[in-house]
Amino acid sequence: MISFVMIYLSALLLTCSSFGLGFSPSPLRSAALQSTVRRCIVNSNVVRTQLHMSVEDEADILIDVQKSATISPPSASTLYPVISKIAGKEWTGSCRYINANLQHATKLKLVGGVKYEISDDNKLTLSSFLTFPNGQTRQVVMEGERTGEDSGAMTLNPVEDGPIIMKLSEVAPDTILINEVEKESGKIIMTSSISVVQTMRGTELVGASHEVGEVGKDAIEGHQLWRMMENIDQKVVLSREFE
């Protein structure tokens, strides 16, 4: 069947080429080109007759050819224009905490990190950890998938059941925006921005997270100012104080 299909397509291509027509995805706009197509169709009838094919056989072959010529899915860099630049690496660093009164809580030491991973089928995994002054570490893994280039903010859901989801968007070429949202209420509890910046020390992730307060209280309860660099050692927890 495959060799027969190739014979048919080769014969059809030769007849079409004699009219200066190749297989092209471009729209057929000119009257002259449309006339050429009509002549090509007439010749396809000749080819079908010479190969003793029915109209149904020819239709089946053309349908198979059309299915095989599928459009390739968008690349990771197209779907994730910012994240694709930093994916596959662990980024770690430390945080300066600012309270609701915009005062730097110098005694509160927080360290943490983040890693973005894009699978072969363009699914996104976001792993992050935060280590508190008492040494306890909280780790969160979220997963999601962008369905198209212009699909807006995507949703990341926890791998293990949890009360929080993330809404993530990118502003090319260098900024990631994230809202952490309560599943049940739909309330935003934290909003963050992460920028990819080039410094004398190399590529860094500079982030600012704002903790949203309850109704009737401070609108913003606190601010987390993060600065992270690539963790070459790829360990789970590494801290780096601001210099």
Side-chain angles (χ1 to χ4, degrees), residues 60-76:
D60 289 340
I61 291 176
L62 292 177
I63 289 173
D64 290 339
V65 171
Q66 185 178 17
K67 288 181 178 180
S68 65
T70 55
I71 299 175
S72 300
S75 64

Side-chain angles (χ1 to χ4, degrees), residues 35 40 78-79 91 139-140 168 224 232-233:
S35 175
C40 182
T78 300
L79 292 176
W91 301 85
Q139 185 167 357
V140 176
L168 181 148
Q224 299 177 19
I232 304 299
D233 295 331

Side-chain angles (χ1 to χ4, degrees), residues 48-154:
R48 187 178 65 246
T49 301
Q50 292 174 345
L51 295 178
H52 306 289
M53 293 171 57
S54 67
V55 175
E56 290 77 13
D57 290 336
E58 182 184 37
D60 289 340
I61 291 176
L62 292 177
I63 289 173
D64 290 339
V65 171
Q66 185 178 17
K67 288 181 178 180
S68 65
T70 55
I71 299 175
S72 300
S75 64
S77 60
T78 300
L79 292 176
Y80 307 102
V82 182
I83 293 175
S84 60
K85 298 177 182 179
I86 60 175
K89 303 175 181 179
E90 186 179 271
W91 301 85
T92 57
S94 58
C95 169
R96 291 173 292 182
Y97 189 82
I98 312 299
N99 63 24
N101 295 321
L102 301 182
Q103 296 172 325
H104 182 195
T106 56
K107 294 183 179 181
L108 181 58
K109 303 294 184 181
L110 299 173
V111 296
V114 64
K115 184 175 183 179
Y116 296 89
E117 296 176 281
I118 303 172
S119 66
D120 292 339
D121 55 356
N122 288 329
K123 292 183 179 179
L124 178 66
T125 301
L126 168 56
S127 304
S128 61
F129 70 87
L130 176 65
T131 301
F132 298 94
N134 61 6
Q136 292 186 346
T137 296
R138 183 188 68 180
Q139 185 167 357
V140 176
V141 181
M142 313 288 284
E143 288 184 337
E145 181 178 7
R146 188 177 293 284
T147 56
E149 298 178 45
D150 302 319
S151 58
M154 63 181 294

Side-chain angles (χ1 to χ4, degrees), residues 94 96 201 227 229 240-243:
S94 58
R96 291 173 292 182
R201 294 184 293 186
R227 202 166 191 123
M229 294 188 70
R240 181 183 64 81
E241 294 299 328
F242 285 98
E243 300 176 4

